Amino acid sequence: MTQKLWNYLWCIDEEVVAASGVRIVWRFHPKSLAVSDVQVDGSFLAAKVDILLFQSKVPDEPLTIPINRLYENHSVTMRLGPVERHPAGFLSIRYDSNALDPNLKAFVVASKPHCDRILQDFTESDSVNVSNFAEGRNNDPLKVSAKFWRMTYFSVVVITTLGFGDIVPMTQASRAWVAVEAMLGTVLTGLMFTRLRRAHALKVAI
């Protein structure tokens, strides 16, 4: 998602600079882009996007944060989706342009149609992944489960009580089964080591 926004805003920056001539313009600083607070909002993935704009005096000014330049920080809520397919087979990132700060709105609106194409250019696999992630977060674990090695990793994390939390059960039934696995897994692990110890002792005695 961050890479998609980076490419999109970089495209806008190039268009604004190309159209500005030698006038003072607001430019997007790509290295400052940060995406946080990603959440499922219906069929969308909503995220807070932090953007920094700075005023440049010449179009080809290097994209570093200049000293003694005016700059603005903006926080914009964008939504990746919807999950259902567009006619062209793409997803898009949407946001309320009317809620943007005037400088940021003018900056974003200056983009050309092909910048929007960059924003929307998701592959079919991207669409499926976003759809499955959204539905998984909305309590349909089958959309993100059923991968053998993924579930093996999860079981190891549960049984060894590491508890990383990167994969979590999302329904009452799955939580109950995970609790059973944690208890039985600990017992079975103990029995396994006991058997190994006895086998080793028997071999030494022989």
Side-chain angles (χ1 to χ4, degrees):
M1 187 172 183
T2 301
Q3 185 64 41
K4 182 65 62 176
L5 288 172
W6 193 96
N7 291 336
Y8 174 58
L9 293 174
W10 177 274
C11 178
I12 293 177
D13 183 79
E14 290 181 331
E15 295 296 334
V16 171
V17 170
S20 67
V22 294
R23 293 182 293 107
I24 296 177
V25 296
W26 286 95
R27 296 191 62 187
F28 160 66
H29 191 270
K31 293 183 179 180
S32 69
L33 178 67
V35 178
S36 60
D37 297 336
V38 179
Q39 299 178 356
V40 173
D41 179 13
S43 58
F44 288 82
L45 299 181
K48 184 179 74 174
V49 182
D50 294 321
I51 299 172
L52 184 144
L53 302 181
F54 72 93
Q55 261 190 8
S56 64
K57 293 185 177 180
V58 293
D60 58 350
E61 186 170 15
L63 281 177
T64 57
I65 299 179
I67 300 175
N68 299 324
R69 291 282 194 277
L70 292 176
Y71 68 91
E72 295 182 352
N73 288 301
H74 298 275
S75 183
V76 183
T77 298
M78 294 189 175
R79 298 193 302 166
L80 173 61
V83 168
E84 60 267 17
R85 303 291 188 271
H86 285 228
F90 301 120
L91 300 175
S92 64
I93 297 177
R94 298 180 180 179
Y95 50 91
D96 182 6
S97 60
N98 293 322
L100 299 180
D101 177 275
N103 280 333
L104 183 58
K105 180 177 180 179
F107 183 77
V108 173
V109 169
S111 67
K112 298 291 185 180
H114 73 266
C115 289
D116 293 332
R117 173 69 179 188
I118 290 174
L119 182 64
Q120 297 174 359
D121 190 16
F122 281 82
T123 65
E124 184 66 19
S125 61
D126 291 329
S127 301
V128 172
N129 288 338
V130 170
S131 174
N132 288 343
F133 179 78
E135 293 183 41
R137 287 289 298 271
N138 284 324
N139 292 329
D140 186 359
L142 293 178
K143 294 294 184 179
V144 292
S145 300
K147 302 294 184 182
F148 176 79
W149 290 112
R150 186 169 182 269
M151 292 298 97
T152 300
Y153 160 77
F154 174 70
S155 293
V156 171
V157 169
V158 170
I159 293 172
T160 58
T161 68
L162 289 174
F164 288 142
D166 53 337
I167 304 175
V168 295
M170 304 187 71
T171 64
Q172 292 297 337
S174 62
R175 290 172 186 142
W177 281 112
V178 168
V180 171
E181 180 183 29
M183 292 185 291
L184 290 180
T186 302
V187 172
L188 292 174
T189 301
L191 290 175
M192 179 188 71
F193 281 112
T194 300
R195 291 293 298 271
L196 290 174
R197 183 178 179 181
R198 288 180 178 176
H200 177 70
L202 181 60
K203 183 178 179 181
V204 171
I206 294 175

